[in-house]
Amino acid sequence: MDHAFSSLIDLKASANSFLSNYEPLALVFVPLLSLFIARILRSFLLLIHDNGLKSTILGFLFTSIKMVPGVKGYIDAEKQKVVEKMQSGSKSKREGWRSELPREGVGAAVIEKLKEEKRKDAIWQGKCSGTVYIGGSEYEGHFSLINEACSMFAHTNPLHLDVFQSIARFEAEVVAMTAALLGSKGKSSGGEICGNMTSGGTESILMAVKSSRDYMKDKKGIKRPEMIIPESAHSAYDKAAQYFNIKLRRVPVNKDFQADVKAIRQQINKNTVLIVGSAPGFPHGIIDPIEELGELAFSYDICLHVDLCLGGFVLPFARMLGYPIPPFDFSVKGVTSISVDVHKYGLAPKGTSVVLYRNHDIRKHQFVAVTEWSGGLYVSPTIAGSRPGGLIAGAWAALMSLGLEGYLENTKTVMEVSKTIQKGIKEIPELFIIGRPDMTIVAIGSNDLDIFEVNDIMTSKGWHLNALQRPNSIHICVTLQHAPVFEDYLRDLRESVRTVKENPGPISGGLAPIYGAAGKIPDRGMVGELLVNYMDSTC
């Protein structure tokens, strides 16, 4: 003991003797400086780990360049030019828009004003990718039916369950009927499938991500949550990551444009709460390997969300009709939540979707309960407090009016139209189809032409298609609106390809140069700024 104490005294003396050679100020600041440098180095290494060396270096270079006097101003001016180009005259359309209440109300004459404004909308009948999924005229048939249902319950709000018990029943039955299509009746589901209606696919995904985050926090104590998505996954996951402070890891798709299970496995770590699959993915209409993702999620004891916003009211019926559809629902072990849009192929009014969970333990983390509010005790199932009961009633009316036979008939129609369009595209030598579509989305690219120039010509012919990236392509999401006009689509597509081939180059007012340039800009932050500036100036 004495020897140890003596050694400590000797060590102290040696240290004091060594440090006496330095200025006291240096002894204070050198450790602080070392700590500061260490923190910077750690942050830099974490940045490289998260974004990769190339992205980190590029980000640093672009940030440094913008700090040069005059450069930032020049870049901002150029960005504004691009934003104005993207607006394509929308500013002039806003001139004359009302900015305050009329002194005297116009009464019933407002209906004529609504009709007048409606006549200014673009022609959408049969001309849009997705957008409107119900077939026929908006003044008759199924359109008329759901409009009447919405109108009948427009005054209702499921927030007041004690008053509007009919809406509570409608929502519960829409959820149950949707769940039954997606495996809730099977033994492998566990018999606890539950869910709620939301305002759309984005809110359904937001709720699933939030619930998964909180569920895994309670289950595993994860406080720095991460989720892993393929680059084909919907942008709603990016929104969820920002809203709920979740680190997002995005991995490339495989050669078949499906989620790469091996790449996703390599990204899983102790903070992973959720992985994602789509059935099908929005860009190319291809179903991810849900069974393999389910096995992965189950083996790591993490959540798996399946985005069925597009496929939820097609794939179950396509499978019944004998189309080769791989497993995608709660029959797959490992799937913990599913999002399904009723307002797409469910043919319900816009603003209706369903989020489903494998059990109540997960769903409970979706709810928000407030006990300390002076307004009383409060609990809400989704993001919105008040919700439009008319839309819920419209969704219930859609499901009940069509029934199993109606959805089977509609599914056969859109699947066959999709196949016919694919066949027609294959007959155009300058084009190719991206991957092998499983459903009703057909994405096309070209090695011979600028596909965005083709899209501009199609736009000039009245078509509203979706421009994609990675790879550059465009797609059409086939709906019942396209059944009578698919030959027109193929004819216009052939003519557009011929026009671009004979006269390559952007057309006046076209957006091909912007789409093309955006895909090549290495500074993705700048592209994001362009989009934010565009949105800020248009809404």
Side-chain angles (χ1 to χ4, degrees):
M1 186 72 177
D2 290 339
H3 177 72
F5 184 70
S6 176
S7 296
L8 286 174
I9 292 176
D10 291 342
L11 181 63
K12 177 183 175 182
S14 298
N16 287 333
S17 175
F18 175 77
L19 293 174
S20 66
N21 297 317
Y22 297 91
E23 292 288 335
L25 201 61
L27 295 177
V28 173
F29 281 104
V30 167
L32 291 176
L33 182 61
S34 300
L35 182 62
F36 178 70
I37 293 173
R39 288 181 67 88
I40 291 177
L41 183 60
R42 179 177 182 273
S43 298
F44 184 69
L45 291 174
L46 285 173
L47 205 59
I48 293 175
H49 181 264
D50 292 344
N51 302 324
L53 181 61
K54 181 180 178 182
S55 296
T56 302
I57 292 174
L58 284 174
F60 176 76
L61 287 174
F62 285 124
T63 301
S64 301
I65 291 171
K66 291 175 187 177
M67 295 174 67
V68 176
V71 172
K72 186 178 186 302
Y74 174 78
I75 291 174
D76 289 343
E78 291 301 307
K79 285 195 296 187
Q80 186 57 36
K81 291 179 184 178
V82 175
V83 170
E84 291 173 359
K85 176 75 171 175
M86 292 170 68
Q87 288 174 330
S88 299
S90 62
K91 274 191 174 180
S92 62
K93 295 175 185 176
R94 295 172 69 92
E95 292 177 4
W97 284 15
R98 184 170 293 280
S99 59
E100 58 185 20
L101 283 170
R103 180 170 294 276
E104 295 183 6
V106 298
V110 72
I111 299 300
E112 287 305 316
K113 290 186 176 293
L114 287 169
K115 291 179 179 178
E116 180 183 345
E117 291 301 320
K118 187 178 181 182
R119 284 191 288 269
K120 298 176 185 178
D121 289 342
I123 297 173
W124 53 263
Q125 292 84 349
K127 286 286 191 174
C128 298
S129 171
T131 311
V132 179
Y133 291 77
I134 302 170
S137 166
E138 62 192 294
Y139 301 109
E140 59 188 22
H142 190 76
F143 267 116
S144 179
L145 184 146
I146 63 169
N147 286 341
E148 184 176 351
C150 289
S151 177
M152 189 184 304
F153 290 88
H155 62 288
T156 65
N157 182 353
L159 183 66
H160 305 287
L161 291 174
D162 56 327
V163 179
F164 304 114
Q165 297 176 29
S166 56
I167 297 301
R169 174 177 177 174
F170 294 154
E171 177 174 10
E173 291 190 357
V174 168
V175 170
M177 287 188 280
T178 303
L181 293 173
L182 302 174
S184 69
K185 301 296 183 181
K187 289 184 179 180
S188 58
S189 73
E192 285 190 54
I193 306 300
C194 54
N196 293 91
M197 291 190 68
T198 70
S199 62
T202 292
E203 187 183 358
S204 288
I205 288 173
L206 289 174
M207 291 290 85
V209 172
K210 189 264 184 191
S211 302
S212 299
R213 181 199 67 174
D214 294 352
Y215 174 68
M216 294 303 290
K217 181 180 179 181
D218 280 357
K219 186 176 182 180
K220 288 187 170 184
I222 296 175
K223 296 179 180 179
R224 300 179 64 184
E226 300 182 10
M227 64 176 169
I228 307 166
I229 69 172
E231 64 181 14
S232 57
H234 197 274
S235 54
Y237 295 103
D238 292 79
K239 187 178 288 189
Q242 292 187 38
Y243 284 175
F244 304 133
N245 195 27
I246 299 174
K247 181 176 175 179
L248 184 68
R249 294 183 180 273
R250 194 190 316 272
V251 300
V253 292
N254 62 23
K255 61 182 177 61
D256 298 317
F257 297 92
Q258 293 177 306
D260 189 328
V261 178
K262 182 178 179 181
I264 290 174
R265 179 185 288 109
Q266 291 173 345
Q267 293 291 325
I268 294 176
N269 59 50
K270 64 179 182 179
N271 291 319
T272 304
V273 298
L274 176 70
I275 60 175
V276 167
S278 304
F282 169 81
H284 315 117
I286 297 170
I287 298 174
D288 287 330
I290 304 302
E291 276 192 312
E292 293 179 49
L293 290 171
E295 291 174 4
L296 188 62
F298 187 81
S299 65
Y300 281 92
D301 194 21
I302 56 178
C303 294
L304 166 61
H305 180 75
V306 179
D307 179 5
L308 273 161
C309 288
L310 273 166
F313 279 87
V314 173
L315 296 180
F317 307 110
R319 184 166 54 188
M320 294 177 198
L321 291 167
Y323 291 94
I325 305 297
F328 57 85
D329 55 19
F330 283 114
S331 63
V332 177
K333 184 169 69 172
V335 173
T336 53
S337 58
I338 289 176
S339 51
V340 189
D341 280 0
V342 196
H343 64 207
K344 289 189 172 75
Y345 291 102
L347 309 189
K350 289 298 180 185
T352 52
S353 180
V354 170
V355 58
L356 298 170
Y357 299 96
R358 184 170 286 276
N359 57 53
H360 292 272
D361 285 342
I362 304 174
R363 185 177 71 148
K364 286 177 182 177
H365 292 83
Q366 174 183 294
F367 304 154
V368 172
V370 181
T371 61
E372 303 301 323
W373 180 34
S374 61
L377 300 178
Y378 176 89
V379 62
S380 176
T382 58
I383 290 177
S386 292
R387 293 184 291 153
L391 296 182
I392 294 173
W396 185 84
L399 270 62
M400 292 296 292
S401 65
L402 288 166
L404 178 62
E405 293 301 324
Y407 283 115
L408 286 169
E409 181 181 347
N410 291 338
T411 296
K412 186 171 181 63
T413 297
V414 293
M415 291 292 283
E416 290 306 309
V417 170
S418 174
K419 285 182 175 295
T420 303
I421 287 176
Q422 290 179 55
K423 182 180 178 182
I425 291 170
K426 289 176 181 177
E427 293 172 355
I428 304 174
E430 294 83 2
L431 303 179
F432 62 86
I433 296 173
I434 307 291
R436 298 178 61 183
D438 289 302
M439 209 181 82
T440 52
I441 296 173
V442 186
I444 55 178
S446 177
N447 293 322
D448 305 314
L449 308 166
D450 185 333
I451 196 66
F452 296 139
E453 291 180 10
V454 174
N455 189 40
D456 281 345
I457 302 295
M458 290 292 282
T459 300
S460 71
K461 293 177 181 291
W463 294 94
H464 301 269
L465 308 177
N466 294 98
L468 315 171
Q469 59 180 354
R470 299 179 183 178
N472 289 352
S473 49
I474 58 177
H475 85 205
I476 183 170
C477 176
V478 177
T479 75
L480 292 172
Q481 285 286 327
H482 299 119
V485 300
F486 67 86
E487 291 179 350
D488 297 340
Y489 168 78
L490 289 171
R491 183 196 64 238
D492 287 348
L493 184 60
R494 285 191 292 268
E495 291 178 359
S496 298
V497 168
R498 184 163 58 249
T499 298
V500 173
K501 188 175 183 180
E502 294 173 354
N503 301 283
I507 65 172
S508 177
L511 295 177
I514 293 176
Y515 279 117
K520 296 175 182 177
I521 295 176
D523 185 1
R524 305 314 290 172
M526 183 183 294
V527 178
E529 290 171 8
L530 284 172
L531 294 175
V532 169
N533 290 344
Y534 168 73
M535 180 58 65
D536 186 53
S537 63
T538 54
C539 66

